[in-house]
């Protein structure tokens, strides 16, 4: 009995530190709960009391001065090195608060973020001066580390802590999309004010995403209804009409590939629609409105062309090259499934063509010279529709070739954003097609003209280098002698004809 008592006493002594630790944890837990309760106890009758950190603003009078102070207080709590409460709690409340802000409130949020949590320039300058006067290598090493610390914007801590949250990547992408909308056109005062913040968010998103992406094929049978609904909702090129439409886009002669990030498995970050065809596509309506395939249609020997007819990237993830990675991985997967595929190409819109033409036609005599042989061309151009404007075909196709191949933005890249995307990826400009998109949007954007970009796998790298170096655009267009026998001579060679005219 005495021996058992001694063993029990020894066991109690060994466990005593553990019991103490548990009691400390409990005390901390109760302290946290008390802080939360006190913070959320702000009442409408006590508005003279400063807002606590967990007041998310539901009942607040959105005075911009108090709003700014509240934003700053939230961000200070998130970015400080030591917190009484776990950082995720503050970060989640900040995200909740941000979502409730209107457009002006979000602009105020970004203003605080960019001005109050930017690089510490005062200390950076001091460290730089000390670095120039450093007397030893060890002193210089210490100053270098200090300088690196002060040169990193404090808002990077905020971005990192958001990314650690569930769905944090999605929140950051949406936040960047909001910022891009608020910045306005390139070169404006607001754009210049926030471009540094926007670029830092983009770089952070690229760091978070690249290397953690997972390619998945979307199918009617295995993909969830919620995911299919997001594919329909996010589609930015050719609107999905209904469930029958999306089901057809997922048939065996079609493919939809999407990129996902491990932490948000049901959120497509970017996705691409592909049609497997026996010939090169020259009409998007022919793809979208094609009847369901027969068993004979699904013979793999019929699939010689893989045509990418739509690529969508979430707005907040633009500029990270997700589309580039997506296309190349989709091509790799298709090559494994269908070794007989000969051509990987796109059928792409030209969203800026009509706007470019109509904004330059009155001031550019070379554009007028292309159109002047058409009677009453100004009115016909302004009232253009796909049915009765055949007489404008030749001048519009020639000017379209000029728009794709010769019109440049700053940096010698193609003016058209879709052209710039594919050419930067290393694709070749292949062919342009008349009445390829007769939808209202297609007519409004580019008079219904579309273009194929050809992804020739063994030329992608060299084409990319040439384009990045000096804006050189590679062409893979067939000559008139190899064009379809059913088409008039030179019909498919508009791009080559434009090049020949310039030489």
């Amino acid at each position: 009995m005495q021996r058992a008592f001694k063993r029990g006493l020894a066991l109690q002594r060994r466990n005593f530190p553990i019991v103490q630790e548990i009691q400390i944890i409990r005390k901390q837990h109760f302290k946290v709960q008390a802080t939360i309760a006190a913070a959320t106890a702000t009442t409408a009758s006590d508005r003279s009391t400063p807002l606590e950190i967990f007041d998310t603003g539901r009942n607040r009078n959105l005075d911009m001065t108090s709003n700014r102070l509240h934003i700053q207080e939230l961000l200070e709590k998130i970015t400080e090195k030591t917190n009484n409460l776990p950082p995720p709690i503050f970060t989640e409340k900040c995200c909740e608060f941000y979502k409730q802000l209107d457009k002006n409130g979000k602009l105020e949020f970004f203003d605080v973020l960019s001005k109050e949590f930017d690089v510490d320039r005062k200390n950076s300058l001091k460290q730089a001066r000390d670095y120039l006067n450093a007397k030893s290598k060890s002193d210089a090493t210490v100053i270098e580390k200090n300088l690196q610390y002060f040169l990193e914007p404090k808002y990077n801590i905020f971005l990192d802590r958001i990314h650690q949250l569930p769905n944090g990547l999605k929140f950051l992408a949406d936040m960047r999309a909001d910022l891009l909308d608020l910045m306005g056109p390139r070169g404006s005062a607001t754009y210049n004010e926030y471009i540094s913040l926007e670029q830092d968010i983009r770089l952070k998103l690229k760091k978070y995403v690249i290397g953690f992406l997972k390619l998945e094929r979307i199918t009617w049978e295995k993909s969830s209804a919620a995911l299919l609904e997001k594919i329909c909702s996010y589609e930015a090129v050719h609107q999905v009409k209904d469930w029958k439409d999306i089901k057809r886009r997922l048939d065996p002669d079609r493919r939809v590939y999407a990129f996902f990030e491990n932490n948000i498995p049901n959120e497509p970050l970017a996705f691409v629609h592909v049609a497997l065809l026996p010939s090169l596509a020259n009409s998007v309506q022919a793809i979208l409105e094609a009847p369901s395939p027969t068993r004979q249609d699904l013979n793999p020997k019929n699939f010689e062309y893989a045509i990418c007819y739509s690529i969508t990237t979430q707005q907040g993830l633009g500029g990270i090259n997700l589309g580039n990675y997506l296309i190349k991985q989709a091509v790799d997967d298709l090559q494994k499934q269908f070794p007989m595929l000969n051509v990987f190409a796109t059928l792409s819109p030209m969203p800026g063509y009509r706007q470019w033409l109509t904004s330059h036609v009155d001031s550019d005599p070379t554009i007028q010279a292309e159109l002047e042989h058409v009677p009453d061309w100004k009115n016909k151009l302004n009232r253009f529709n796909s049915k009765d404007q055949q007489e404008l075909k030749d001048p519009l196709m020639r000017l379209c070739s000029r728009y794709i191949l010769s019109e440049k933005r700053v940096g010698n890249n193609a003016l058209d954003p879709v052209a710039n995307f594919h050419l930067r990826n290393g694709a070749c400009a292949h062919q342009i097609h008349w009445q390829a998109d007769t939808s209202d949007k297609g007519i409004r954007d580019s008079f219904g003209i579309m273009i194929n970009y050809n992804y020739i796998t063994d030329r992608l790298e060299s084409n990319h280098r040439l384009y990045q170096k000096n804006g050189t655009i590679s062409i893979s267009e067939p000559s008139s002698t190899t064009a379809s026998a059913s088409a008039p001579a030179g019909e498919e060679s508009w791009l080559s004809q434009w090049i020949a005219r310039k030489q």
Side-chain angles (χ1 to χ4, degrees):
M1 183 74 176
Q2 188 177 9
R3 194 175 300 166
F5 174 76
K6 287 181 178 179
R7 282 200 302 268
L9 186 61
L11 182 62
Q12 186 179 16
R13 286 172 180 166
R14 285 198 301 270
N15 289 340
F16 183 70
I18 298 174
V19 173
Q20 280 186 316
E21 187 175 348
I22 291 172
Q23 289 175 340
I24 291 170
I25 291 172
R26 284 178 175 171
K27 287 180 180 179
Q28 290 176 339
H29 171 75
F30 291 135
K31 185 178 179 182
V32 168
Q33 295 300 318
T35 304
I36 293 174
T40 54
T42 303
T43 62
S45 61
D46 189 22
R47 278 301 166 206
S48 61
T49 304
L51 287 160
E52 297 294 337
I53 194 67
F54 291 123
D55 181 357
T56 58
R58 288 189 180 89
N59 301 312
R60 297 176 65 231
N61 179 17
L62 292 179
D63 173 69
M64 292 308 292
T65 302
S66 62
N67 216 31
R68 188 178 185 89
L69 292 174
H70 186 60
I71 293 168
Q72 189 164 349
E73 184 182 15
L74 279 168
L75 293 172
E76 287 286 1
K77 287 290 183 182
I78 293 169
T79 56
E80 66 186 12
K81 287 192 173 181
T82 57
N83 291 314
N84 293 325
L85 295 178
I89 295 178
F90 291 102
T91 313
E92 287 169 359
K93 293 298 177 181
C94 186
C95 293
E96 185 180 343
F97 172 76
Y98 174 86
K99 289 177 182 178
Q100 296 171 22
L101 295 173
D102 60 12
K103 190 173 182 179
N104 291 330
K106 289 179 179 178
L107 187 61
E108 186 79 7
F109 186 95
F110 291 125
D111 194 66
V112 173
L113 201 61
S114 64
K115 291 179 178 176
E116 308 299 332
F117 295 85
D118 198 2
V119 170
D120 187 342
R121 291 179 173 81
K122 181 179 178 181
N123 281 312
S124 297
L125 183 59
K126 180 180 180 301
Q127 293 294 321
R129 289 169 178 162
D130 291 345
Y131 187 73
L132 292 174
N133 299 319
K135 296 180 179 180
S136 67
K137 184 176 180 180
S138 61
D139 289 345
T141 301
V142 171
I143 296 171
E144 285 170 0
K145 291 181 180 179
N146 291 338
L147 192 56
Q148 288 173 353
Y149 172 80
F150 289 122
L151 283 173
E152 182 170 5
K154 196 175 180 181
Y155 55 64
N156 276 350
I157 301 173
F158 168 69
L159 301 177
D160 287 335
R161 290 191 171 169
I162 287 182
H163 180 240
Q164 293 166 7
L165 296 176
N167 295 316
L169 181 68
K170 170 64 174 170
F171 180 87
L172 281 176
D174 291 343
M175 191 171 75
R176 179 172 175 245
D178 290 339
L179 179 56
L180 288 168
D181 286 339
L182 291 167
M183 286 168 62
R186 184 184 296 269
S188 66
T190 311
Y191 180 92
N192 294 334
E193 181 75 25
Y194 298 111
I195 183 60
S196 179
L197 173 63
E198 186 277 321
Q199 288 177 343
D200 283 342
I201 298 175
R202 177 173 59 84
L203 290 174
K204 280 289 186 182
L205 284 168
K206 187 171 184 178
K207 175 185 174 183
Y208 299 147
V209 169
I210 302 303
F212 299 94
L213 294 172
K214 181 172 61 174
L215 182 74
E216 290 186 13
R217 179 185 167 193
I218 309 299
T219 65
W220 181 258
E221 293 79 13
K222 295 182 179 180
S223 300
S224 68
L227 176 55
L228 294 179
E229 190 171 358
K230 286 182 179 179
I231 295 291
C232 297
S233 174
Y234 294 171
E235 171 61 30
V237 183
H238 302 295
Q239 183 180 4
V240 179
K241 298 176 183 177
D242 48 35
W243 284 106
K244 183 179 179 181
D245 186 5
I246 189 62
K247 187 175 188 298
R248 176 65 185 97
R249 299 189 192 196
L250 299 172
D251 270 344
D253 61 339
R254 301 287 188 266
R255 292 290 186 275
V256 176
Y257 292 99
F259 266 151
F260 296 89
E261 202 261 351
N262 290 333
N263 292 329
I264 41 175
N266 232 22
E267 187 66 37
L269 305 180
F271 53 92
V272 58
H273 293 256
V274 181
L276 304 175
L277 302 172
S279 59
L280 186 68
N282 59 11
S283 166
V284 74
Q285 274 72 41
I287 293 175
L288 296 174
E289 298 171 7
S292 296
T294 64
R295 181 176 298 182
Q296 185 177 356
D297 293 332
L298 296 178
N299 186 336
K301 293 180 179 179
N302 293 329
F303 300 154
E304 295 187 26
Y305 292 77
I307 304 298
C308 162
Y309 61 93
S310 174
I311 305 172
T312 296
T313 300
Q314 290 198 26
Q315 184 186 0
L317 295 172
I320 302 179
N321 289 333
L322 289 188
N324 180 17
Y325 300 126
L326 178 59
I327 289 175
K328 290 175 180 176
Q329 288 198 28
V331 167
D332 288 341
D333 188 73
L334 288 168
Q335 282 180 319
K336 293 173 185 175
Q337 291 186 56
F338 305 103
M340 71 292 298
L341 281 171
N342 293 321
V343 176
F344 300 90
T346 75
L347 183 60
S348 299
M350 290 174 276
Y353 174 43
R354 186 165 183 168
Q355 191 276 332
W356 166 81
L357 182 57
T358 54
S359 63
H360 287 80
V361 66
D362 291 332
S363 59
D364 190 334
T366 61
I367 295 178
Q368 297 172 16
E370 295 287 352
L371 294 161
E372 60 187 7
H373 71 281
V374 178
D376 196 25
W377 62 265
K378 285 189 177 182
N379 286 329
K380 290 178 180 177
L381 195 67
N382 292 332
R383 294 183 283 103
F384 183 90
N385 61 66
S386 62
K387 296 179 180 179
D388 59 359
Q389 303 295 334
Q390 189 68 18
E391 58 187 328
L392 285 172
K393 175 184 175 180
D394 286 5
L396 288 180
M397 293 291 272
R398 285 192 293 268
L399 289 167
C400 182
S401 300
R402 166 182 165 177
Y403 172 71
I404 291 296
L405 299 177
S406 300
E407 295 301 318
K408 304 289 185 177
R409 64 174 73 185
V410 177
N412 217 24
N413 290 336
L415 180 62
D416 186 82
V418 176
N420 183 54
F421 168 78
H422 290 295
L423 298 171
R424 193 177 63 233
N425 292 345
C428 300
H430 189 64
Q431 285 180 282
I432 58 175
H433 300 285
W434 180 252
Q435 292 192 356
D437 182 2
T438 55
S439 68
D440 291 343
K441 184 176 185 295
I443 299 300
R444 183 174 63 250
D445 289 349
S446 61
F447 303 101
I449 304 171
M450 299 186 78
I451 183 171
N452 304 122
Y453 294 101
N454 194 2
Y455 279 75
I456 304 173
T457 52
D458 58 357
R459 290 174 57 182
L460 293 178
E461 189 60 35
S462 59
N463 288 346
H464 166 76
R465 285 199 303 268
L466 286 171
Y467 183 71
Q468 291 291 85
K469 183 179 180 180
N470 53 25
T472 299
I473 297 176
S474 300
I475 297 176
S476 61
E477 183 179 54
S479 65
S480 58
T481 57
T482 60
S484 171
S486 61
E491 169 95 357
E492 287 101 350
S493 302
W494 296 104
L495 300 175
S496 300
Q497 289 178 34
W498 176 257
I499 293 295
R501 286 179 61 181
K502 289 192 67 180
Q503 291 175 345

